[in-house]
Amino acid sequence: SNPKTLVSTCVLACLASLAFVPSIDLDDQWSDYFSKEIEFRNDTDQATTKFGLYPIEYSVPASGPGGISNREYLTKLEEFTSYLRGLDNVAHVYSVTDIIKRLNKNINNDKDEFYKIPQVDNEAAQYLLLYELSLPYGLDLNDRINIDKSATRVTVTLGKTSTSETKVFLNTADEWIAKNFPAYMKETRPTSAQVMFTYIADRNVQSMIAGTIIAIVLISIILIFALRSVRLGLLSLVPNALPIITCLLYTSPSPRDLSTS
C-alpha cells in the first residue's frame, strides 16, 4: 500500500549499511575461540594476564661458527632485545645476552656496572665455556645456542594480542632488523604458532571474501539465463549481497569479538 515509502526506506537502510563497510575490522584471536565455560580458556586468560601467552621466536645468525661471541654481534643482539622490550604488548623477552651480562657481573664481584656486554671479544666466549662446564648434565644452552655457535635464539612473549596487532609487531620488528642489523644478521625470520595463526587467519578471511563475491556473481549470471533478463539478474546482486554485509555489521562489533562470532 506504500511502495514509495517502502522503497525509500530500504534504499536508505542499504546506503547506511554500505557506509559502515569500511569500519569492519577483520581480526582474530585463537584463544577466544573457546568459551569462558571451558577451563582451558580460563587458564589462558590467567596466563596472558600474568606473563603472556603468545611466544615469537627469532633465530639470529652470526657471521659463522663461533661467531656468537663476537662483540659486534652481541651488541647488536642486545640492542634488538632492548628494542623489543619497549614495544606494545610485549610481556617478556629472553636472549643469550641476558646470560652474558649476568656472567660478566658475577665474575666481576657482582658489581652492577658490569651488567653489560663484555668489551673484549674472547671474554664472552670464555664466560660461556665456563658457564656450560658448570652446568649439570642435560642443562646446557642448546635451547638458546645452536651446536656450532653460529646462531642464537631470541624469544619474545606477547600479552593479549590479536592477529592484526601481531602483524604490526612483526612488521615493526622487521623494519628495525633491516635498518640496524649488519648483513649477516638480517637473515632472521620470526616463527611460532602465533605467527602461523596470524597469517592463516588472514588468508582464510581473504579467501572467504573472494569466494563469497564469486558465488554472488555466479548466482546473478544463472538468474540472467533463468529469467532471461539481464536487468533482473543484475538486480539480484542487491538482495544477495546486502544480507551478508548487514550480517557482518551486526556480528563484528569489535575486532576481538569477530573470532567468536
Side-chain angles (χ1 to χ4, degrees), residues 40-54:
F40 172 78
R41 170 65 185 278
N42 296 324
D43 292 342
T44 57
D45 287 346
Q46 287 294 321
T48 303
T49 303
K50 300 296 183 181
F51 41 78
L53 184 68
Y54 307 101

Side-chain angles (χ1 to χ4, degrees), residues 92-252:
H92 185 257
V93 182
Y94 184 40
S95 168
V96 72
T97 56
D98 299 326
I99 300 172
I100 297 291
K101 290 191 299 180
R102 190 178 75 242
L103 290 172
N104 192 31
K105 177 183 175 181
N106 294 152
I107 290 176
N108 288 278
N109 297 320
D110 285 336
K111 294 181 179 178
D112 292 336
E113 61 266 27
F114 285 96
Y115 188 72
K116 60 183 180 180
I117 301 299
Q119 299 302 303
V120 181
D121 286 351
N122 62 358
E123 280 188 1
Q126 291 172 6
Y127 292 167
L128 282 175
L129 177 61
L130 179 64
Y131 181 64
E132 289 184 302
L133 288 175
S134 66
L135 290 173
Y137 179 76
L139 294 179
D140 52 30
L141 293 177
N142 285 345
D143 69 320
R144 291 288 115 194
I145 305 172
N146 64 355
I147 298 298
D148 65 351
K149 293 181 170 54
S150 63
T152 64
R153 170 185 171 194
V154 177
T155 302
V156 187
T157 305
L158 304 180
K160 191 74 170 179
T161 308
S162 64
T163 54
S164 63
E165 291 169 336
T166 302
K167 282 191 286 187
V168 171
F169 167 83
L170 294 173
N171 292 335
T172 303
D174 285 345
E175 289 175 3
W176 192 95
I177 289 171
K179 185 183 298 184
N180 295 278
F181 270 174
Y184 63 87
M185 296 177 69
K186 290 182 180 179
E187 297 302 318
T188 181
R189 293 292 182 270
T191 180
S192 72
Q194 177 67 4
V195 176
M196 179 183 68
F197 274 111
T198 294
Y199 290 104
I200 284 178
D202 188 55
R203 291 177 182 177
N204 284 344
V205 168
Q206 298 301 327
S207 297
M208 289 169 63
I209 292 173
T212 302
I213 293 173
I214 293 171
I216 292 173
V217 171
L218 290 177
I219 290 170
S220 298
I221 293 173
I222 291 171
L223 289 174
I224 288 173
F225 285 100
L227 301 175
R228 297 181 182 180
S229 172
V230 174
R231 185 175 64 86
L232 291 176
L234 295 177
L235 189 62
S236 71
L237 289 171
V238 177
N240 284 329
L242 282 176
I244 298 173
I245 295 173
T246 306
C247 180
L248 278 175
L249 293 174
Y250 280 101
T251 58
S252 57

